[in-house]
């Protein structure tokens, strides 16, 4: 009996060691293949738990790797984009054809505003994971936030002779002033970027028993139908963005992510060569206390 036991035990161990040697020879990546086969119900339960924990760890590593890659790609893109207005500033300072100091200051201010816009995007991008610690939902004036955004880009409206109109009645929504302001800024800058000289940006409101909707419509170049479903994707610039050297493809992605975190949503309608309409939807059914 002892001899039989020793033979069986040796055979099992030899087979296991042989498998283990092959795993090591092949790089040692198949961790679970190196563990002896479970011989009891308790061992099988522990193995099942270990497999689940291992799978969760691999998924977390994959998510971390993807986020790191995305952030790296964004930073590389951001560096290229922010270098353009910096280079423009240097060229302006060396340009002897500018007729007056006022003209030089105006042009430099335009380029500095572009740099500020890119820096702001990066700051909000870096804060998106810690969003829950950096917002306060309250009843805010949509009129004030909208006007603040327009004042921020007033020079661009004037330079391109773009007409701006908005609703008159005072309207409030439940949101965070800072983050909602950033969302609106991204939509307004896109509208200005892709609207030709002499066009218009129209802001209006719609309301029913379920929601309030802020509509920001421009008379710009529009978006091809096949690209509408992708405009909120990270880094997606589309055919219009590829023609525009100052497009990172991050503005609407960040705006959409923040809208979701605030309990809002973004929708888009467009007709190529005619208009684009971005809508921010504020549901009425959700309580302010849901977000606090």
């Amino acid at each position: 009996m002892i001899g039989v036991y020793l033979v069986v035990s040796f055979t099992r161990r030899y087979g296991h060691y042989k498998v283990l040697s092959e795993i090591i020879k092949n790089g040692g990546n198949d961790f679970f293949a190196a563990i002896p086969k479970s011989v009891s119900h308790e061992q099988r339960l522990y193995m099942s738990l270990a497999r689940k924990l291992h799978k969760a760890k691999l998924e977390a590593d994959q998510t971390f790797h993807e986020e790191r890659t995305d952030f790296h790609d964004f930073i590389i893109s951001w560096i290229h984009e922010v270098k353009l207005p910096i280079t423009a500033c240097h060229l302006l300072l060396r340009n002897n054809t500018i007729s007056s100091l006022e003209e030089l200051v105006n042009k430099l201010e335009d380029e500095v505003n572009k740099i500020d816009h890119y820096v702001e995007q990066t700051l909000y991008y870096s804060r998106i994971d810690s969003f829950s610690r950096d917002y306060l939902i309250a009843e805010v004036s949509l009129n004030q936030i909208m006007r603040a955004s327009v004042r921020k880009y007033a020079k661009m409206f004037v330079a391109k002779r773009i007409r701006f109109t908005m609703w008159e009645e005072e309207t409030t929504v439940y949101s965070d002033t800072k983050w909602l302001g950033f969302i609106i800024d991204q939509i307004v800058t896109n509208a200005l970027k892709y609207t030709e000289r002499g066009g218009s940006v129209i802001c209006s409101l719609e309301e029913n028993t379920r929601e309030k909707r802020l509509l920001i419509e421009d008379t710009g170049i529009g978006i091809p139908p096949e690209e509408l479903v992708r405009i909120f994707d990270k880094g997606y610039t589309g055919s219009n963005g590829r023609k525009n050297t100052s497009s990172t493809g991050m503005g609407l992605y960040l705006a959409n992510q923040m809208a979701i975190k605030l309990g809002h949503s973004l929708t888009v309608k467009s007709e190529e060569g005619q208009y684009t309409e971005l809508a921010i939807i504020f549901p009425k059914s959700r309580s302010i206390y849901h977000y606090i």
Side-chain angles (χ1 to χ4, degrees):
M1 289 296 292
I2 295 175
V4 173
Y5 170 77
L6 290 174
V7 170
V8 172
S9 178
F10 172 78
T11 303
R12 284 180 177 173
R13 290 180 180 275
Y14 176 76
H16 174 64
Y17 292 147
K18 187 176 180 181
V19 170
L20 189 58
S21 296
E22 288 295 321
I23 292 170
I24 294 171
K25 191 183 297 182
N26 293 328
N29 293 322
D30 194 352
F31 171 76
F32 286 99
I35 299 176
K37 187 177 180 180
S38 302
V39 294
S40 70
H41 180 63
E42 183 181 15
Q43 289 179 352
R44 284 192 289 273
L45 289 175
Y46 276 117
M47 278 299 296
S48 177
L49 177 61
R51 288 181 186 278
K52 287 182 178 179
L53 292 173
H54 183 62
K55 182 182 178 183
K57 175 65 166 56
L58 291 177
E59 290 174 350
D61 288 346
Q62 179 66 22
T63 299
F64 173 77
H65 176 73
E66 290 173 356
E67 289 176 351
R68 184 178 176 184
T69 301
D70 286 343
F71 187 73
H72 176 267
D73 292 344
F74 171 70
I75 291 299
I76 295 300
S77 172
W78 181 85
I79 289 170
H80 286 297
E81 299 302 336
V82 83
K83 281 175 67 177
L84 294 174
I86 292 173
T87 302
C89 287
H90 287 305
L91 293 173
L92 286 168
L93 292 171
R94 296 172 189 164
N95 189 351
N96 296 323
T97 62
I98 295 178
S99 59
S100 68
L101 179 60
E102 183 180 359
E103 182 184 358
L104 175 61
V105 170
N106 285 335
K107 290 182 179 295
L108 285 172
E109 187 180 0
D110 289 340
E111 300 305 324
V112 170
N113 285 338
K114 292 176 186 177
I115 296 171
D116 181 64
H117 176 73
Y118 289 132
V119 170
E120 187 179 53
Q121 271 195 355
T122 308
L123 286 173
Y124 277 88
Y125 184 89
S126 67
R127 291 174 184 167
I128 209 163
D129 290 332
S130 60
F131 177 87
S132 60
R133 301 189 298 272
D134 192 31
Y135 78 111
L136 175 65
I137 296 293
E139 189 174 15
V140 299
S141 169
L142 201 51
N143 303 60
Q144 290 180 11
I145 297 173
M146 192 73 241
R147 291 192 188 102
S149 183
V150 173
R151 283 196 299 270
K152 192 173 182 179
Y153 302 105
K155 285 191 66 178
M156 196 180 299
F157 275 100
V158 173
K160 296 184 73 172
R161 298 187 182 279
I162 292 176
R163 297 179 299 280
F164 174 78
T165 57
M166 66 175 281
W167 72 97
E168 294 183 359
E169 66 277 12
E170 181 63 32
T171 301
T172 61
V173 294
Y174 283 104
S175 189
D176 176 88
T177 300
K178 179 178 66 177
W179 293 86
L180 180 56
F182 179 81
I183 293 170
I184 291 175
D185 283 351
Q186 303 313 300
I187 298 173
V188 169
T189 54
N190 261 32
L192 288 168
K193 186 187 300 180
Y194 297 114
T195 300
E196 299 293 340
R197 184 181 178 86
S200 61
V201 174
I202 306 102
C203 296
S204 59
L205 292 173
E206 291 180 355
E207 184 175 359
N208 57 35
T209 55
R210 299 187 310 276
E211 62 194 25
K212 291 182 181 180
R213 298 166 62 92
L214 168 60
L215 311 176
I216 303 176
E217 180 182 335
D218 64 66
T219 57
I221 57 180
I223 303 167
E226 66 274 12
E227 296 181 7
L228 281 174
V229 294
R230 298 188 61 192
I231 68 165
F232 298 123
D233 291 353
K234 183 186 291 184
Y236 186 72
T237 58
S239 56
N240 293 332
R242 287 189 289 273
K243 297 172 188 174
N244 191 307
T245 56
S246 61
S247 179
T248 61
M250 293 301 293
L252 289 181
Y253 164 76
L254 289 173
N256 190 50
Q257 292 299 305
M258 291 174 187
I260 292 170
K261 289 178 182 291
L262 287 169
H264 313 328
S265 60
L266 298 185
T267 62
V268 60
K269 293 194 299 184
S270 185
E271 186 175 334
E272 194 170 8
Q274 298 295 321
Y275 77 97
T276 299
E277 178 192 275
L278 267 293
I280 307 176
I281 302 170
F282 306 91
K284 291 181 176 180
S285 58
R286 293 190 173 189
S287 168
I288 178 175
Y289 301 106
H290 178 79
Y291 305 104
I292 297 177

